[in-house]
Amino acid sequence: MLTTALAMVNQAGLTVSLDHISFEDVIRDAGVARSAVYRRWPYKDLFFSDLLRELARGTGPAAGSGDIAATDAVARVVLDHLDWLRTPAHRRALAAEILRQGALREFETFLGSPEWRTYLALHATFLSLPDGDLRTEVQDALTTSEHALIHRVAGTYEHVTGLLGLRLRPDLDAGFDTVANLASATIRGLVVMAPANPSIATRRFQANPFGAPGPAEWSQPALGIAGIVMTFLEADPAIDWTGERLEDLRRTLTTT
């Protein structure tokens, strides 16, 4: 029953309530006996409470960066701009170029994902729950899911930063988890705003905000994410991009 209902929610997305999920439809689609269902959940509200717990455990929400496609996309951008690594300023510009391409792709994925809409709606649903065991359990599950999500995003940022010979600015006294939290909050806010403000998804700017050799087409999600992340990054003075180091990186990226 829970697996069937999760599939229904993930197909249609979660509203701020679960009113669009029919208990009888779940029973039918799950192919289980009604008598067995009502022994397990004498009242349908008990079933929906368990469904909220399952959703909050984060078994399905879009988790953003770190998948194979994103990793391949980063490698392609770096390989296309290897010469940018030769100077500290252009190293930062390369990080911004990765964000320029990746932020829009991530935004469009989240905007079109029922699972991601469900994850956002679940946070709103949680706020409406009365105090009690269910609210506490959903909050605990959301906290665990959020920590896992931010950990993955922070790990991706840390990996790419090291790959490019950059580091976090020591004077800001912030870790990659802080960067991931701020970037994640920005992309979520834009996803929530986009239905009422479609230009967030469609508007483009010819700009060069981070010192690349030339201007490029920027989206609002890319400007928002890059504006945050780039605030924290600087070239690592301990790293010298020699020809040998560049060739080692090229081999690594083309063989992984």
Side-chain angles (χ1 to χ4, degrees):
M1 286 283 288
L2 289 169
T3 299
T4 300
L6 283 169
M8 288 180 174
V9 171
N10 287 334
Q11 181 177 9
L14 178 69
T15 63
V16 178
S17 72
L18 289 167
D19 293 341
H20 66 304
I21 299 295
S22 164
F23 190 52
E24 293 300 322
D25 286 348
V26 175
I27 294 174
R28 183 198 64 226
D29 290 357
V32 296
R34 295 180 85 257
S35 59
V37 170
Y38 281 99
R39 281 196 301 272
R40 175 65 179 83
W41 294 289
Y43 306 99
K44 67 178 183 180
D45 287 351
L46 297 176
F47 170 77
F48 286 117
S49 293
D50 279 353
L51 178 56
L52 275 178
R53 292 183 179 95
E54 289 294 308
L55 287 165
R57 290 190 182 108
T59 55
S65 305
D67 60 16
I68 294 173
T71 301
D72 288 345
V74 169
R76 287 195 299 271
V77 175
V78 175
L79 287 170
D80 288 343
H81 302 83
L82 272 179
D83 57 313
W84 290 17
L85 292 172
R86 295 185 182 277
T87 65
H90 285 169
R91 285 184 228 166
R92 293 187 75 253
L94 181 50
E97 177 63 16
I98 292 170
L99 293 166
R100 183 183 75 85
Q101 297 190 32
L104 179 59
R105 182 171 55 251
E106 188 172 37
F107 169 80
E108 291 173 341
T109 297
F110 290 168
L111 188 62
S113 167
E115 291 183 354
W116 182 246
R117 292 198 301 273
T118 292
Y119 193 61
L120 294 179
L122 185 58
H123 284 73
T125 301
F126 158 73
L127 293 175
S128 68
L129 294 175
D131 289 338
D133 290 344
L134 177 60
R135 181 185 175 92
T136 299
E137 289 178 36
V138 170
Q139 182 177 31
D140 290 345
L142 283 174
T143 298
T144 299
S145 182
E146 274 293 298
H147 285 169
L149 169 62
I150 296 303
H151 179 73
R152 288 192 294 270
V153 175
T156 298
Y157 284 151
E158 184 172 11
H159 171 70
V160 175
T161 296
L163 190 72
L164 302 182
L166 302 174
R167 69 177 186 182
L168 292 176
R169 289 171 49 188
D171 58 304
L172 294 181
D173 192 27
F176 284 100
D177 56 336
T178 298
V179 180
N181 271 314
L182 293 172
S184 179
T186 299
I187 203 77
R188 294 182 202 199
L190 292 171
V191 168
V192 170
M193 293 169 61
N197 187 356
S199 67
I200 290 174
T202 60
R203 191 175 179 190
R204 300 291 183 268
F205 309 85
Q206 282 293 322
N208 186 4
F210 302 105
E217 184 178 86
W218 285 79
S219 64
Q220 291 190 59
L223 282 172
I225 296 297
I228 289 172
V229 176
M230 297 306 296
T231 298
F232 291 86
L233 300 184
E234 67 178 14
D236 188 337
I239 294 179
D240 180 20
W241 279 101
T242 63
E244 182 180 357
R245 187 184 184 97
L246 286 171
E247 188 55 36
D248 286 344
L249 179 60
R250 185 197 304 274
R251 283 196 298 269
T252 298
L253 294 178
T254 55
T255 59
T256 56

